[in-house]
Amino acid sequence: MRYESMDIIKVDSKKTRLISDGGCGYLEPDNSYAAFMASCNRMYLGVKCDIRFTKDRVIITSRYRDLKKLTKQKIHISLTNYEELKQIPIGSNNLCYMSTLKDFLLLCDRYRKLACIELHPPIGKHELTQLFEEIKKRVKEGRWELCEGWWVQADCNAPCGESYIRQGLYAREYLKTHFGKTSDTVFNIDSFGHNMQLPQILRGCGFRNYVFWRPNEAHKELPKPLFDWVGLDGSSVRCYRLGGKGGEIFVKDIEKETFGKIFSENTEDNLMVVFGVTDHGGAPTKQQMSVINRLSAECKDYDVSYGTVSGFFRDVKPEISVCDELQTRYLGPYCNYTPVKQDNRRAETALLNCEAASVIAYNLIDREYPQAEIKQCWKDVMFNQFHDILGGTCISSAYRDASDRHGRAIQTAAEHMHYALQSITNMIAMPGKNPDNAWNLAVWNLNGFPIDAPIEAEVQWAWEFPWYNGGITLTDADGTDYPTQIITEECVVPSFRSRFVFRAEIPAGGYKCFIVRQTEKSEASSRRFKLGKAAYGGFDLIDTQSGKTLKG
């Protein structure tokens, strides 16, 4: 909260805490080092700054894109190097200067203030090149571990198996491209449950380790936190459940709530303890590290030391195996907000069909494979498989974004699938000949197995052909006839189109062609009743004994 004068305010709730926006702008120039210092010397919970990039990519604190309000000079920050900007005095007394983000963070750390940062667009990977390069440097030095091997921390029950493979495939590709190495671990501590097929998929993708938190001890008992998780086919990964004897992972006081519990349990198990601020184990704090350093030096019964996830699994061997689902008792994530779950399955199916059709077209007619477009579609789908999104626990506005993202993936995949199939179908010599048959059907099966199932189709008569309201028969290239049943068409104009259903076997990854013929017969009958098409769409059920129409 920012105030332009020294007005006295009354805060009714004792729990209310204030954030100083841009520092004490009523005393010093907005977003200046002096303004931040003034806020740190007052009873604010935290300080908020605005950041922008200079021409030479230094991150400085400024609410405005230029210095007109601070110096009366219209000097654009993005067009000026930092060395020039830091020489320009700002404020009415010309005694203050621009601050860098690094200065701001050091000040907040020194005074134990919550640091809030507002990123002014455009901000992305390219705008944060300096920070990204620092992370890459730390990874190379072995000081930053790549412990998450999936694209996101996904729901581990609702997606199809191929989605989990893509989670690993694209994440490993990203890590290898940007960091020169991949991760051997999937870190899914917050996912609501974990299906039993994962060990086989994880092992097949090159992962050896798996870390989770849910289900915790209250939801599922396990003999030890470290075990070999064995899948249905016998594949296994080394698995560790956080929390429990190692203390819960969402804690404020690491000494009391984590190590206090470990010491009181008097366990002989080797434990992995994660620490950091926020409820999902964020960045470590100096206070937490000082506690760990002290316990490492003072504790005689336990060896308390820093380590990595991969290092833990390398040094500690499991003593037991578990061949079971790892599920919580929370059912909400699997019944909350069904539209996002339906869209996820539609998107997965659309992408699998798109890939199959594109591969067939590439091999048969050398049509270019849309690799970049398909990869982007999978990234949209994988993002929406984040456990809170797919689990139905987000706010309504987030689901508008999720629906748009699913829609983009589904539409893009459908377009490429149809383009590929049409390209091939245009080259197929259809059975029959004109004008003996008005239409041909080419039915594709993009699954990896043959299907024998009911198939629906709809053809149009007007204006290419005379209006028609009769029956339909189908014949394949071998002369085999297929019984059909007329059903209600989606078009509401009578005799304009015909919709029908028939049963046929279609080969795996292939197609079958049919001749569509008119039979003039459009009614089904029994000893007493007959079913015929009504004059204006739908059907009439007629009693043949009385001649009455029972339903029309």
Side-chain angles (χ1 to χ4, degrees), residues 339-360:
V340 73
K341 298 168 174 57
Q342 295 169 338
D343 285 347
N344 173 73
R345 187 64 80 238
R346 287 178 58 220
E348 290 174 329
T349 302
L351 275 168
L352 294 175
N353 286 338
C354 173
E355 290 186 319
S358 299
V359 167
I360 294 172

Side-chain angles (χ1 to χ4, degrees), residues 440-452:
N440 289 105
L441 288 181
V443 181
W444 284 87
N445 173 21
L446 297 176
N447 295 296
F449 50 86
I451 62 167
D452 184 358

Side-chain angles (χ1 to χ4, degrees), residues 57-73:
R57 315 310 294 161
V58 176
I59 307 175
I60 67 169
T61 59
S62 177
R63 189 185 306 274
Y64 312 107
R65 67 181 65 185
D66 57 51
L67 303 185
K68 186 175 181 180
K69 290 192 175 183
L70 297 175
T71 66
K72 307 302 181 183
Q73 304 176 61

Side-chain angles (χ1 to χ4, degrees), residues 249-313:
I249 59 176
F250 303 154
V251 300
K252 294 182 179 180
D253 188 336
I254 189 173
E255 182 169 12
K256 180 179 178 181
E257 299 179 65
T258 299
F259 288 104
K261 183 175 182 180
I262 293 173
F263 299 155
S264 64
E265 290 279 352
N266 196 29
T267 179
E268 296 181 358
D269 294 329
N270 291 293
L271 302 176
M272 182 193 304
V273 178
V274 298
F275 66 99
V277 295
T278 81
D279 68 342
H280 286 69
T285 66
K286 291 182 178 180
Q287 188 272 337
Q288 289 177 328
M289 295 177 70
S290 66
V291 171
I292 295 172
N293 293 338
R294 175 168 51 79
L295 292 176
S296 178
E298 297 176 355
C299 187
K300 298 180 181 179
D301 298 325
Y302 292 90
D303 177 19
V304 180
S305 60
Y306 294 105
T308 62
V309 175
S310 294
F312 178 87
F313 283 111

